[in-house]
């Protein structure tokens, strides 16, 4: 509605250019007679409102953003052959943007890692005394590594360099007796070469036998403190492009092998080195770092800048105890990975192959020369075809896969006239890039026909875009008033509504218009001085969190930020876990940070959760691929990337730790594998596993047969015994019952008076003589 305030009409725009800066929806009417008979009518409004109020379409200034593609060569499919210098891995290659401030516009780009792309690998090795056994291991590394890399690329070159530390106190032994032999007096290894900072030994070459020869000539040295001067060496290897031999049309891999932590910037002050590193190449005629004792160690920021500038992938090959430290470095240096190196470097070839495959399995975009007044936001579309807002990286890719990115651009303001802006988007480690030229839609076409001292402006002002810009001391739509004139007629037009203060109490009414007061806090503006650019929500004391513009009490957030105070980032790349899931599938990404919703989950991406139902299943895959080279992750190159937890193998697993979760699973051969999962105070996950699964010995067939037969016989005997016992008890009960009945029958017959025994007894007396003897007796006759 016309009576309602909107961002265009409530603004402080007094010219076409100011109107266009308020909001990309605002338009300006340059028609001379616009608004006559309507009182005060803003020429800055939404385009449909201007047309409804009678402004002709030819008088409306409403520029829009546009995109022009200047170079768009198709993507290549292979990196080998005679045309390798014309290999294209990003499309388009050059575009031009015409941006109106505040308006978002988008363009797309595609990236493909071509097959059989040339590879340059420079092996940078710590030759301090503790690496002696590692040096012995890699003496034939060149041949073996070239054979393995030959499976991945037909164009491979290998180089070699070494480092120790700055040859000055307190980093090295400086007494005269140690100058030629720092190991003097050291019983375990009494002879070694003098300490040096960095020594470039072998330029990149396809003659791998040269690598073996040079490595076999090397001897270790010795420094005093534990940290090494490796960052000095990394920077020299990155910036000395001619000496090292980096090719423009190749992947650049820099393998950094060490068993200790590096010195960082400001450590050099311990030795009196106050001059910061200049980031330049300082190799002398002996190919040694000549500024080692003149400048401080490089900072992480400088290191990352030079590696990215020269398209170098840095691979930290470090021992297990240093993994967490160097893992933190990778978060600060783009294009860097870290791999665990065995104590004697036996796994160095597998490590390099795994790191190379890891690098080739992902694409990440970086922005160079990003103008401060331009906001960029990215949306990645990876192999699954799903848009991922806020993400500029795709992982788990195969060589030859094509991924797409959508880039949204917004200009927050206008640079000084005549300023040319540009920036570059390039995948990390690629030579290919997208160059973006930018110009701004900040001027109105009607300004080209401005009339000075125009009669329309009472000859005391400039007529431009339908309005008069009066000379100092004059006011009014036609410069008809002088400053200081006031009347009740004029003042009634300076109230926003009846009963409200004149000019909202923040200005004075002069010639029918409000002139807003100046404020130390910012700008007061509006037709009735009702708006300002400082009364908006703050975050940590910063207006609109520094990510938006305050407009009439409301924050207008820049691209990539939302919220009342613009403190909430829509970027989600920080919420993507190593497995590619948002917050590991255990939480939500809110304002660029994971809010874990799964009970017990924690960590930057909710990746740690010993009590989660899927914790054992997730860690099981790492146990299988790391210890036994089996399972789902063993078939691709993601094991080394996803499974960075420390794994400790033991003979007997202790389960009495209250902070550890016991996990068990059944293997393919019906054995049981046990391990515990816990979180260390340092933030690293610890897996303690049995060296081998527990398997019971299988019984012999005869033993099983005898056991079965014996069991059957035993059961039969037991059943017979039970049956006999039951029968015996039953018979005894029946016999006792019979005896009892018989006794009752005898008693009844003995007491019957009519019953007479069928047998009678008679006694007969006799007296006779036999064989001369006399007998006297008797017989009983029945």
């Amino acid at each position: 509605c016309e009576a309602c305030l909107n961002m265009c009409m409530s603004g402080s725009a007094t010219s076409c250019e100011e109107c266009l800066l308020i909001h990309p929806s605002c338009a300006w009417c340059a028609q001379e007679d616009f608004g006559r008979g309507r009182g005060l009518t803003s020429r800055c409004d939404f385009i449909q409102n201007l047309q409804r109020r009678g402004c002709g379409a030819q008088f409306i200034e409403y520029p829009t953003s546009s995109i022009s593609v200047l170079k768009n060569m198709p993507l290549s499919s292979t990196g080998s052959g005679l045309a390798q210098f014309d290999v294209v891995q990003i499309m388009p290659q050059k575009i031009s943007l015409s941006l109106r401030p505040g308006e978002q516009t988008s363009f797309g780009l595609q990236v493909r890692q071509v097959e059989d792309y040339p590879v340059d690998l420079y092996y940078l090795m710590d030759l301090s005394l503790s690496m002696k056994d590692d040096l012995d291991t890699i003496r034939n590394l060149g041949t073996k590594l070239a054979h393995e890399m030959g499976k991945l690329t037909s164009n491979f070159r290998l180089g070699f360099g070494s480092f120790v530390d700055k040859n000055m106190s307190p980093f090295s032994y400086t007494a005269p007796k140690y100058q030629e032999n720092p190991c003097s007096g050291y019983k375990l290894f009494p002879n070694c070469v003098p300490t040096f900072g960095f020594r470039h030994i072998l330029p990149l070459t396809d003659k791998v036998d040269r690598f073996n020869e040079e490595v076999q000539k090397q001897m270790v040295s010795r420094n005093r403190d534990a940290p090494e001067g490796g960052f000095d060496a990394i920077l020299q290897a990155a910036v000395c492009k001619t000496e090292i031999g980096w090719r423009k049309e190749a992947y650049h891999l820099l393998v950094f092998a060490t068993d200790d932590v590096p010195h960082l910037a400001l450590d050099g002050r311990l030795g009196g080195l106050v001059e910061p590193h200049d980031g330049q190449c300082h190799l002398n005629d002996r190919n040694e770092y000549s500024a080692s004792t003149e400048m401080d160690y490089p900072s992480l920021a400088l290191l990352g800048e030079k590696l990215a500038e020269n398209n170098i992938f840095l691979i930290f090959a470090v021992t297990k105890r240093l993994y967490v430290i160097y893992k933190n470095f990778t978060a600060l240096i783009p294009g860097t990975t870290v791999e665990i190196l065995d104590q004697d470097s036996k796994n160095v070839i597998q490590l390099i192959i795994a790191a190379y495959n890891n690098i080739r399995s992902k694409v990440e975009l970086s922005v160079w020369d990003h103008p401060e007044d331009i906001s960029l936001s990215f949306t990645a579309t990876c192999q699954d075809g799903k848009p991922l807002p806020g993400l500029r990286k795709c992982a788990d890719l195969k060589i030859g896969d094509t991924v797409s990115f959508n880039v949204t651009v917004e200009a927050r303001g206008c640079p000084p006239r005549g300023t040319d802006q540009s920036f570059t988007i390039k995948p990390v480690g690629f030579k290919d890039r997208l160059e973006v030229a930018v110009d701004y839609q900040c001027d109105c076409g009607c300004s080209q026909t401005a009339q000075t001292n125009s009669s329309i402006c009472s000859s005391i002002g400039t007529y431009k875009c339908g309005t008069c810009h009066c000379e100092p001391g004059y006011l009014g739509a036609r410069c008809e008033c002088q400053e200081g004139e006031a009347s009740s007629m004029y003042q009634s037009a300076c109230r926003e509504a009846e009963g409200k203060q004149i000019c909202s109490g923040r200005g004075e009414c002069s010639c029918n218009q409000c002139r807003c007061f100046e404020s130390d806090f910012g700008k007061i503006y509006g037709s009735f001085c009702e708006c300002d650019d400082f009364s908006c929500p703050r975050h940590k004391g910063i207006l609109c969190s520094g990510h938006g513009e305050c407009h009439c009490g409301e924050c207008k957030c820049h691209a990539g930020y939302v919220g009342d105070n613009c403190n909430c980032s829509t970027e989600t790349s920080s919420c993507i876990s190593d497995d590619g899931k948002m917050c590991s599938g255990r939480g939500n990404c809110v304002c660029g940070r994971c809010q874990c919703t799964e009970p017990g989950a924690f960590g930057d991406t909710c990746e740690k959760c010993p009590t989660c139902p899927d914790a054992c299943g997730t860690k099981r895959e790492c146990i299988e691929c790391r210890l036994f080279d089996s399972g789902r992750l063993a078939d691709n190159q993601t094991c080394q990337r996803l499974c960075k937890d420390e794994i400790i193998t033991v003979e007997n697993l202790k389960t009495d730790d209250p902070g550890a979760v016991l996990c068990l699973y059944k293997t393919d051969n019906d054995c049981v594998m046990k391990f515990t999962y816990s979180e260390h105070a340092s933030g690293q996950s610890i897996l303690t596993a049995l060296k081998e699964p527990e398997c019971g010995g299988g019984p012999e067939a005869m033993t099983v047969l005898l056991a079965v037969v014996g069991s059957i016989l035993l059961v039969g005997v037991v059943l017979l015994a039970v049956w006999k016992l039951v029968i015996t008890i039953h018979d005894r009960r029946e016999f006792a019952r019979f005896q009892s009945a018989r006794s009752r029958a005898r008693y009844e017959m003995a007491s019957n008076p009519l019953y007479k025994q069928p047998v009678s007894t008679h006694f007969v007396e006799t007296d006779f003589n036999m064989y001369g003897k006399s007998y006297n007796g008797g017989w009983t006759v029945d």
Side-chain angles (χ1 to χ4, degrees):
C1 62
E2 294 188 10
C4 296
L5 292 176
N6 62 44
M7 64 185 70
C8 302
M9 295 180 65
S10 62
S12 59
T14 59
S15 68
C16 180
E17 285 76 13
E18 292 179 358
C19 175
L20 299 184
L21 287 174
I22 292 175
H23 192 271
S25 299
C26 297
W28 178 269
C29 181
Q31 186 173 318
E32 179 184 349
D33 59 352
F34 177 72
R36 287 185 181 177
R38 295 173 176 263
L40 289 174
T41 301
S42 174
R43 291 178 177 271
C44 186
D45 201 345
F46 298 124
I47 188 170
Q48 60 269 28
N49 291 348
L50 294 176
Q51 291 175 337
R52 188 168 60 249
R53 293 176 185 176
C55 185
Q58 69 272 25
F59 296 106
I60 294 178
E61 295 285 342
Y62 185 66
T64 57
S65 300
S66 62
I67 301 174
S68 299
V69 179
L70 305 180
K71 187 177 181 181
N72 192 28
M73 296 174 61
L75 296 172
S76 304
S77 58
T78 181
S80 60
L82 297 177
Q84 67 178 30
F85 292 98
D86 298 325
V87 172
V88 177
Q89 298 185 95
I90 188 170
M91 182 180 74
Q93 296 82 42
K94 190 173 184 179
I95 65 173
S96 174
L97 302 179
S98 182
L99 302 178
R100 176 177 173 178
E103 183 180 14
Q104 294 185 356
T105 186
S106 300
F107 63 88
L109 62 94
Q110 292 182 319
V111 181
R112 176 190 296 164
Q113 297 209 54
V114 300
E115 299 178 1
D116 197 20
Y117 200 71
V119 176
D120 287 346
L121 188 149
Y122 192 78
Y123 195 86
L124 185 57
M125 184 174 182
D126 177 3
L127 283 188
S128 58
L129 191 57
S130 57
M131 294 286 286
K132 182 181 182 303
D133 55 344
D134 301 76
L135 179 60
D136 295 336
T137 302
I138 71 162
R139 294 195 185 277
N140 294 314
L141 172 67
T143 305
K144 298 177 181 177
L145 182 57
H147 177 264
E148 293 298 325
M149 290 298 295
K151 301 175 182 177
L152 305 173
T153 177
S154 61
N155 195 337
F156 175 69
R157 298 200 309 169
L158 187 62
F160 183 70
S162 60
F163 66 92
V164 182
D165 206 346
K166 296 182 182 296
N167 190 16
M168 60 184 300
S169 180
F171 313 114
S172 300
Y173 295 95
T174 56
K177 68 175 183 178
Y178 295 122
Q179 290 301 306
E180 295 299 324
N181 182 14
C183 297
S184 177
Y186 188 64
K187 295 181 179 180
L188 296 179
F189 194 78
N191 296 304
C192 58
V193 299
T195 306
F196 57 92
F198 164 66
R199 182 176 294 155
H200 170 48
I201 299 170
L202 178 66
L204 291 163
T205 178
D206 56 2
K207 297 178 175 58
V208 294
D209 291 339
R210 287 276 315 280
F211 181 93
N212 296 338
E213 292 173 5
E214 294 298 334
V215 172
Q216 290 173 5
K217 296 177 185 177
Q218 303 308 309
M219 293 181 61
V220 294
S221 184
R222 186 186 182 196
N223 60 326
R224 172 176 284 177
D225 58 352
E228 319 289 5
F231 279 9
D232 269 343
I234 291 175
L235 194 138
Q236 292 303 298
V239 300
C240 298
K241 296 181 288 186
T242 303
E243 293 80 356
I244 302 297
W246 297 115
R247 291 177 294 178
K248 184 178 179 181
E249 304 292 331
Y251 278 114
H252 301 159
L253 305 184
L254 178 57
V255 180
F256 178 79
T258 185
D259 64 348
D260 223 314
V261 296
H263 277 297
L264 304 175
L266 301 182
D267 284 359
R269 296 193 175 189
L270 296 173
L273 301 178
V274 296
E275 182 181 353
H277 204 293
D278 60 3
Q280 302 299 316
C281 177
H282 295 281
L283 291 185
N284 57 24
D285 54 0
R286 298 190 305 274
N287 281 330
E288 294 185 354
Y289 178 37
S290 60
S292 178
T293 58
E294 299 173 5
M295 290 187 293
D296 194 7
Y297 297 97
S299 65
L300 287 171
L302 179 62
L303 207 60
E305 176 187 340
K306 294 303 178 182
L307 288 170
E309 185 179 299
N310 295 284
N311 305 321
I312 294 175
F313 290 105
L314 176 61
I315 302 171
F316 287 127
V318 299
T319 52
K320 184 182 297 184
R321 68 181 182 88
L322 302 175
Y323 175 80
V324 174
I325 296 174
Y326 281 89
K327 180 67 173 177
N328 293 333
F329 288 156
T330 64
L332 303 174
I333 306 176
T336 304
T337 59
V338 58
E339 302 290 343
I340 297 177
L341 183 69
D342 288 348
Q343 290 293 339
D344 55 0
S345 296
K346 285 184 178 179
N347 68 329
V348 66
I349 293 180
Q350 295 85 347
L351 180 151
I352 293 173
I353 298 299
Y356 174 78
N357 287 323
N358 183 22
I359 291 169
R360 295 298 306 269
S361 70
K362 60 186 178 183
V363 170
E364 181 177 4
L365 299 183
S366 62
V367 181
W368 287 67
D369 303 323
H370 187 179
E372 293 182 357
D373 58 354
I374 290 181
S375 297
L376 297 175
S377 61
F378 293 81
T379 298
T381 303
C382 304
Q383 287 305 102
D384 57 2
K386 297 179 180 178
L388 299 172
L391 196 64
R392 61 172 74 179
K393 178 173 68 174
C394 286
D396 294 332
L397 304 177
K398 297 179 181 178
I399 296 176
D401 287 347
T402 302
V403 293
S404 302
F405 297 90
N406 186 270
V407 186
T408 301
V409 188
E410 178 185 347
R412 296 194 291 267
C414 290
R417 296 182 186 277
T419 302
D420 294 328
Q421 300 278 27
S422 64
F423 61 92
T424 301
I425 298 176
K426 64 187 295 291
V428 175
F430 284 52
K431 70 163 183 73
D432 304 76
R433 62 190 65 204
L434 168 61
E435 298 178 359
V436 183
V438 182
D439 66 80
Y440 297 81
Q441 295 279 1
C442 294
D443 296 324
C444 297
C446 57
S447 298
Q448 305 297 324
T449 59
Q451 304 173 20
T452 59
N453 298 322
S454 173
S455 58
I456 300 174
C457 304
S458 305
S459 299
I460 49 175
T462 300
Y463 181 74
K464 185 173 66 172
C465 295
T467 61
C468 288
H469 298 266
C470 305
E471 298 292 338
Y474 292 88
L475 299 170
R478 296 290 180 264
C479 304
E480 70 274 17
C481 298
Q482 286 187 294
E483 291 185 6
E485 294 181 353
S487 69
S488 59
M489 178 186 69
Y490 291 150
Q491 292 193 0
S492 62
C494 294
R495 299 179 190 272
E496 187 175 4
E498 190 65 32
K500 289 199 173 184
Q501 290 181 297
I502 295 175
C503 298
S504 304
R506 303 199 293 180
E508 61 181 18
C509 187
S510 179
C511 195
N512 213 28
Q513 294 178 341
C514 283
R515 298 186 64 195
C516 303
F517 298 141
E518 293 183 356
S519 173
D520 293 337
F521 298 104
K523 184 179 181 180
I524 300 173
Y525 60 92
S527 300
F528 307 100
C529 302
E530 74 279 11
C531 293
D532 60 60
D533 61 0
F534 53 83
S535 298
C536 287
R538 297 172 181 263
H539 179 65
K540 295 182 178 180
I542 301 177
L543 189 68
C544 297
S545 307
H547 301 303
E549 308 295 336
C550 181
H551 180 78
C552 207
E554 182 180 353
C555 287
K556 303 296 182 183
C557 302
H558 299 156
Y561 292 90
V562 295
D564 293 340
N565 54 9
C566 302
N567 70 323
C568 185
S569 172
T570 59
E571 184 81 14
T572 59
S573 58
S574 58
C575 297
I576 303 298
S577 57
D578 287 340
D579 59 2
K581 296 181 180 178
M582 188 72 68
C583 298
S584 304
R586 300 181 181 128
N588 302 314
C589 188
V590 179
C591 300
R593 293 187 176 183
C594 283
Q595 291 187 355
C596 305
T597 57
E598 183 79 23
F602 63 98
D604 292 339
T605 57
C606 305
E607 74 281 6
K608 303 179 184 301
C609 188
T611 59
C612 287
D614 62 340
C616 287
T618 302
K619 301 303 179 183
R620 166 189 172 173
E621 294 178 341
C622 292
I623 292 290
E624 289 177 333
C625 75
R626 287 275 298 277
L627 296 186
F628 308 111
D629 194 25
S630 62
R632 182 178 65 88
L633 299 182
D635 296 332
N636 52 44
Q637 301 300 329
T638 57
C639 181
Q640 293 292 330
R641 181 175 60 83
L642 297 181
C643 302
K644 300 296 186 182
D645 302 333
E646 181 179 359
I647 299 180
I648 303 173
T649 56
V650 294
E651 294 289 349
N652 298 309
L653 187 65
K654 296 181 180 180
T655 59
D656 54 354
D657 184 0
V661 177
L662 177 62
C663 300
L664 305 92
Y665 68 89
K666 193 174 183 180
T667 64
D668 294 338
N669 54 356
D670 293 331
C671 298
V672 176
M673 184 63 189
K674 297 180 181 179
F675 65 93
T676 59
Y677 167 31
S678 62
E679 295 293 339
H680 194 266
S682 64
Q684 184 180 9
S685 299
I686 306 291
L687 303 179
T688 305
L690 291 173
K691 287 186 176 180
E692 296 292 339
E694 293 181 347
C695 301
E700 295 181 359
M702 184 57 68
T703 303
V704 174
L705 179 62
L706 293 177
V708 171
V709 173
S711 299
I712 293 174
L713 292 176
L714 179 61
V715 171
V717 171
V718 170
L719 290 176
L720 287 174
V722 172
W723 177 80
K724 179 62 177 177
L725 178 62
V726 171
I727 293 299
T728 301
I729 294 174
H730 178 267
D731 288 350
R732 287 183 177 179
R733 286 178 179 175
E734 290 297 322
F735 182 73
R737 190 180 297 115
F738 169 76
Q739 289 288 76
S740 176
R742 182 179 178 183
S743 298
R744 287 197 302 270
R746 286 181 179 178
Y747 174 79
E748 290 171 357
M749 288 187 294
S751 59
N752 188 353
L754 299 178
Y755 180 76
K756 186 176 181 180
Q757 287 283 352
V759 179
S760 60
T761 303
H762 302 277
F763 184 77
V764 181
E765 292 185 0
T766 61
D767 189 4
F768 62 91
N769 188 303
M770 183 176 292
Y771 302 109
K773 295 182 180 179
S774 296
Y775 292 91
N776 187 9
W779 291 266
T780 300
V781 180
D782 290 333

